[in-house]
Amino acid sequence: MKFEGTEAYVATDDLTMAVNAAVTLERPLLVKGEPGTGKTELARQVAQALGTDMIEWSIKSTTKAQQGLYEYDAVSRLRDSQLGDERVNDVRNYIRRGKLWEAFTADRRVVLLIDEVDKADIEFPNDLLQELDRMEFYVYETGETIRATHRPIVIITSNNEKELPDAFLRRCFFHYIRFPEPEVLRRIVEVHHPGIKPQLLTEALTQFYEIREQPGLKKKPSTSEVLDWLKLLLAEDLDPADLKRDGADALPKLHGALLKNEQDVHLFERLAFMARRQQGR
């Protein structure tokens, strides 16, 4: 079965090609792109489109690769032995399965999402090379090898916070989600806000792209942020005329949904201040 997007997710041709190529090659799909461009949601929609489950492993700065395989709780076993608990006779009672173990032993093929891999230590991707390549790992405490019953579809996301090792990249099929063109973004908006007035959408998207292209902007607003902004505009029942800006009022309406740090807010405030000074001459 081929992935072609879903009713809730607008996938471009190159993105669907990347997903299907990774599935065919049985390689992890490494997806990069700006935060908020739908990388995590892609895994959910692939699982939905293929009629299977998704197992999500959210990576943090403290996450170790071993946690994705399993963890041995030696402290609990020691405590139970001191209490005379019979559970200590079977080490399996103290093995906590990780997300890879869950995906490998699922009763059907699942989508395994390794989310924001670049948050972890630089060695994290390399530590998973063999397990993702061979689809198996060894449990030293029990002496057993866990092999994938059904090879999962692995989707790995990265926000490009740090470079990933070449050895890891060689084993992945790579795709960069570019920020959508206006026509694609219109289709995305229609999915989330069906029936939005064309004039309001045109004015809102015009302003949105102007903000993204403003020189000196520290954080460009993303797809998720424009969807939030439009939701607020609809809730306030604003019309296109309400969104009109002039030089003296450079900040967009409800700008807190788009501008997420004080540096960018100050940038637009300075633009407004300079515009007012020019008008006063």
Side-chain angles (χ1 to χ4, degrees), residues 59-64 119-121:
I59 307 303
K60 301 178 182 178
S61 59
T62 57
T63 303
K64 302 299 180 185
K119 279 188 175 181
D121 184 86

Side-chain angles (χ1 to χ4, degrees), residues 51-169:
T52 190
D53 298 323
M54 186 189 82
I55 295 175
E56 181 174 356
W57 186 16
S58 298
I59 307 303
K60 301 178 182 178
S61 59
T62 57
T63 303
K64 302 299 180 185
Q66 181 63 34
Q67 294 172 307
L69 308 180
Y70 70 93
E71 292 183 275
Y72 170 52
D73 191 353
V75 174
S76 293
R77 193 180 189 194
L78 175 61
R79 184 186 63 243
D80 289 349
S81 67
Q82 293 170 340
L83 297 174
D85 194 323
E86 292 184 358
R87 283 166 44 89
V88 300
N89 295 321
D90 187 352
V91 70
R92 289 177 176 82
N93 292 323
Y94 304 93
I95 300 291
R96 289 186 289 192
R97 299 184 177 190
K99 298 298 184 180
L100 267 71
W101 190 325
E102 291 180 22
F104 285 5
T105 57
D107 56 6
R108 59 175 176 164
R109 193 179 203 185
V110 299
V111 173
L112 171 63
L113 169 63
I114 304 177
D115 202 22
E116 299 189 335
V117 69
D118 52 326
K119 279 188 175 181
D121 184 86
I122 188 62
E123 291 303 320
F124 177 87
N126 278 338
D127 291 342
L128 287 177
L129 284 180
Q130 180 171 307
E131 287 76 15
L132 291 177
D133 207 19
R134 298 184 179 179
M135 286 288 152
E136 66 178 39
F137 61 89
Y138 185 72
V139 183
Y140 292 93
E141 289 76 9
T142 63
E144 60 183 326
T145 298
I146 305 300
R147 294 185 178 88
T149 306
H150 305 281
R151 191 180 187 98
I153 299 169
V154 182
I155 297 178
I156 304 171
T157 71
S158 169
N159 287 327
N160 251 351
E161 292 184 7
K162 63 168 68 81
E163 290 295 323
L164 299 173
D166 289 344
F168 180 77
L169 296 175

